[in-house]
Each structure stands twice: as C-alpha cells, then as structure tokens.
C-alpha cells in the first residue's frame, strides 16, 4: 500500500482518488475550497462534478495541503490557471525528489509552459511524469476500462507511476515523449471545442471526421516544431484523446462548443458549462502558433470565434475555401 495525495478535488481528481483508494492505497484528496471539501464529506460524493461516484470515508478529503507530506506519489489534477500556485503551495511539504504525476491537461496562459515544466521550474529535483490519454472522469470513477500514457524523460519514473496506479481497469503505457504526450492532451481541447461547434451548427459526420483529422495534423505539426515525436500523436494521448473528447457529451469542451454553434456567446457558454480548458487553450495555442510560425487554421478559427466575435458559419465557409493544396503539403510534418 502506498501513500498518495491528489491535489484538485474536481471531477478528475476525485475519480483518480477513488480509483487509487480501490487499489488499497492510502489516499488524501485536497481542495483549497472549504465548501467543496465539506460537501464531498457530507454527501460521500462530489455532487456537482462527479455525481453518483462514492467517495468512501477511507479517503481523507481535506483543505490541509500538508496531506502531501511524506507521500509516495503526488497527483496533480487542477486546471491550467491553478497549476503554478498549487505547486508553490505544496512545495514546503514535499521532499525535493518527490514523485509527481500531473494529470491535468493544458498550457499555462502567458508563459506557454506545459504543466510538467511548471512543476519542474518550482520543484527542479522532483520526478515528474505526465499522465494523459482518453479518460473521462465519470468513467474512471465507475471503473470502466481506461488506457493512458505515463510519460517521463526518465522512463524509470514513468514505470514507478505505472506500478503504483495500473490495475485491471486502468492500464498505463509508458513513454519518453513528454512534449508529445502533454501537447496532445492540451491541444485536443481546442479541436473538441471546434467539434462541438460543428455539432451545434448541425454539420454532419463527414465534417466532424475531417475536423478531427485535420485538427490532429495541426496539433502534430506544432508538436513536432516544439520537439515532440510525430508518432506520439497517433497514440492514446493524441488520436485516442481526440476521439474521446470530440465524440462524447462527457466533454465540457464539446458541450461548450455545441452551445456556441447554437448561437450562445462563447463567454456565456463557458460560464454555463464550467472548466472549459479548450476555451483558454484556443488563445494560448493560437499565440503559440504565431510565435512558432506553424500554421494552425482550425485553432486560429476557434480563437477568432471565442475571442473576436467571428461567426461560426462564416468560419466554416472560410475554412472550406482556403487555397487548394495536396493533403501532404499540410500534413503531419
Ligand atoms: N474531467 C475529466 O474527465 C478530465 C480528464 C482528464 C484530465 N482532466 C484535466 O484535469 C484538470 C482538472 O479538470 P477537472 O475536470 O477535474 O476540473 P473541475 O472543474 O472538475 O475541477 C477543478 C478542481 O480544481 C481545484 N481548483 C480549482 N481552482 C483552484 C485553485 N485556484 N487552486 C487550486 N485548486 C483549484 C478544485 O478542487 C476544483 O474542484 C484539467 O486540466 C482537465 O483538463 C480532466
């Protein structure tokens, strides 16, 4: 039995805590919000973000971040705007070489840092692993078979996370391509938002399949320019995550996109749905594409719809009438 602390008691953090607890680990689940902690304790579940999944009393739900002291594994499951402050907050309580699995997906706004970079900048000696892949919290909470990738430059650390968390319903593969694994998870949120917009506009299956395929191509293009291995994007953290996010009503990115496609303003859609990483990532990814000079037409379109009042219908027309070219001209590399 290992000692594990999960920081972030939203849908994903709660599902991972429940899963680790089922394996017999000693688990603490931390949130900075008294009201959230009280509610989970009182109801024995996260009524708002993970209803119907029992959080047994054997999981310590707390606002006391010292629960991270002496853990064998620290799991981070907070949104992009909270990652830096959460790592700063936990720093005094963990050993310098603590094993950390980051389960959040996104890119830090303004700095463009991937989450593991944020962690390593604050805790340079920590063993940091990126955990990513097709994984709705609702399904992990129910024990539905789920496959993810644990990525670390030092593969031994990814193997440690694999040994601690892998079980008969949660299968982990290791990878050394940290950049590719993290970028796939962060950037697919933008494409999921676009897929939702497509659905909200009542476009067909053809349109969505094309959007996903071309979306993955532009994610890979940016990823390769930043040092990722192109083949990673064909794996669980790339194509796998894109499929699950673009096709499911569990995805808040897609749900927000559907509302936008139906005519709701992007801001109002995000307020209605909650954490929509794709909305934030659209701006970050667009700026990143400008910074790197990598063409990302779908991401750019999504950014303009979200932040510049661009009409989704006009956007589709503009994408369809881009200059003719060969598929490979704008291909993976
Ligand atoms: N929900 C999923 O199915 C899922 C699956 C894989 C990855 N993720 C990723 O995990 C991360 C968290 O997503 P989520 O769906 O659990 O979000 P959520 O909105 O359900 O929960 C976020 C939680 O983070 C914590 N939090 C919020 N603000 C904070 C702050 N300022 N400081 C510290 N903690 C704060 C709170 O406990 C809050 O409940 C995101 O990056 C998301 O992309 C989510």
């Amino acid at each position: 039995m290992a000692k594990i602390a999960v920081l972030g008691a939203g849908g994903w953090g709660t599902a991972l805590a429940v899963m680790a607890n089922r394996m017999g680990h000693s688990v603490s689940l931390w949130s900075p919000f008294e009201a959230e902690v009280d509610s989970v304790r009182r109801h024995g579940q996260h009524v708002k973000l993970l209803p119907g999944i029992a959080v047994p009393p054997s999981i310590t739900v707390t606002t006391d971040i010292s629960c991270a002291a002496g853990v064998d594994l620290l799991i981070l499951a907070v949104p992009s705007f909270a990652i830096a402050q959460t790592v700063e907050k936990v720093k005094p309580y963990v050993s310098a070489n603590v094993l950390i699995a980051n389960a959040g997906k996104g890119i830090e706004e303004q700095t463009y840092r991937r989450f593991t970079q944020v962690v390593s900048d604050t805790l340079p000696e920590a063993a940091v692993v990126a955990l990513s892949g097709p994984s709705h919290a609702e399904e992990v909470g129910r024990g539905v078979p789920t496959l993810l990738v644990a990525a670390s430059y030092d593969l031994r650390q990814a193997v440690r996370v694999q040994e601690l968390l892998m079980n008969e319903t949660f299968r982990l593969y290791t990878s050394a391509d940290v950049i590719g694994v993290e970028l796939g998870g962060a950037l697919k949120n933008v494409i999921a938002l676009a897929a939702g917009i497509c659905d909200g506009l009542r476009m067909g299956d053809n349109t969505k399949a094309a959007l996903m395929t071309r979306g993955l191509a532009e994610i890979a293009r940016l990823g390769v320019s930043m040092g990722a291995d192109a083949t990673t994007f064909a794996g669980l953290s790339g194509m796998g995550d894109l499929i699950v996010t673009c096709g499911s009503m569990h995805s808040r990115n897609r749900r927000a996109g559907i509302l936008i496609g139906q005519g709701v303003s992007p801001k109002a859609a995000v307020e209605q749905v909650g954490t929509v990483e794709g909305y934030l990532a659209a701006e970050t990814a667009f700026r990143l594409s400008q910074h790197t000079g990598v063409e990302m037409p779908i991401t750019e379109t999504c950014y303009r719809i979200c932040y510049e009042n661009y009409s989704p219908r006009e956007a589709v027309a503009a994408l369809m009438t881009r200059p003719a070219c060969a598929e490979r001209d704008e291909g993976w590399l």
Side-chain angles (χ1 to χ4, degrees), residues 9-12 31-32 36 49 79 82 85-86 103-105 135 137 252 275 277:
W12 191 214
S31 160
E36 183 166 56
L49 296 172
Q85 68 202 67
T86 303
K105 294 173 185 168
S135 49
R252 282 179 252 175
T275 299
E277 290 280 17

Side-chain angles (χ1 to χ4, degrees), residues 7-16 29-33 36 46 49-50 76-83 85-86 89 102-106 115 131-140 148 185 188-189 241 250-253 274-277:
L7 304 187
W12 191 214
T14 304
L16 289 170
L29 177 61
W30 173 86
S31 160
F33 308 121
E36 183 166 56
H46 199 311
L49 296 172
L50 203 64
L76 299 175
V78 296
S80 49
F81 57 80
I83 181 87
Q85 68 202 67
T86 303
K89 234 184 241 180
N102 174 67
K105 294 173 185 168
F115 285 11
L131 207 55
S132 197
S135 49
H136 292 311
E138 295 81 352
E139 297 186 2
V140 170
L148 297 185
K188 58 89 202 190
N189 287 330
D241 209 357
H250 287 313
S251 164
R252 282 179 252 175
N253 295 294
T275 299
V276 180
E277 290 280 17

Side-chain angles (χ1 to χ4, degrees), residues 261-310:
Q262 288 169 343
V264 177
S265 82
K267 223 165 168 229
V270 171
E271 270 161 26
Q272 197 171 320
V273 172
T275 299
V276 180
E277 290 280 17
Y279 180 74
L280 302 172
E283 175 160 22
T284 317
F286 171 59
R287 304 260 176 249
L288 204 51
S289 73
Q290 286 194 312
H291 181 70
T292 51
V294 173
E295 204 184 1
M296 299 182 77
I298 298 171
T299 300
E300 177 173 348
T301 301
C302 219
Y303 164 78
R304 297 205 185 287
I305 291 173
C306 287
Y307 298 98
E308 293 183 350
N309 237 349
Y310 193 21

Side-chain angles (χ1 to χ4, degrees), residues 213-270:
T213 312
R214 298 308 306 164
L216 190 60
E218 68 181 49
I219 290 174
R221 207 151 57 224
L222 180 72
V224 168
S225 82
M226 292 173 71
D229 179 342
T231 57
T232 299
F233 297 98
L236 287 165
S237 58
M239 189 193 299
D241 209 357
L242 193 69
I243 290 171
V244 84
T245 323
C246 291
S248 166
M249 282 309 275
H250 287 313
S251 164
R252 282 179 252 175
N253 295 294
R254 175 166 176 252
R255 290 208 312 267
I258 291 173
L259 290 173
I260 296 167
Q262 288 169 343
V264 177
S265 82
K267 223 165 168 229
V270 171

Side-chain angles (χ1 to χ4, degrees), residues 14-15 21 27 31 75 94 113 197 237 294:
T14 304
N21 174 262
V27 180
S31 160
I75 298 178
V94 292
R113 289 183 299 175
I197 294 173
S237 58
V294 173

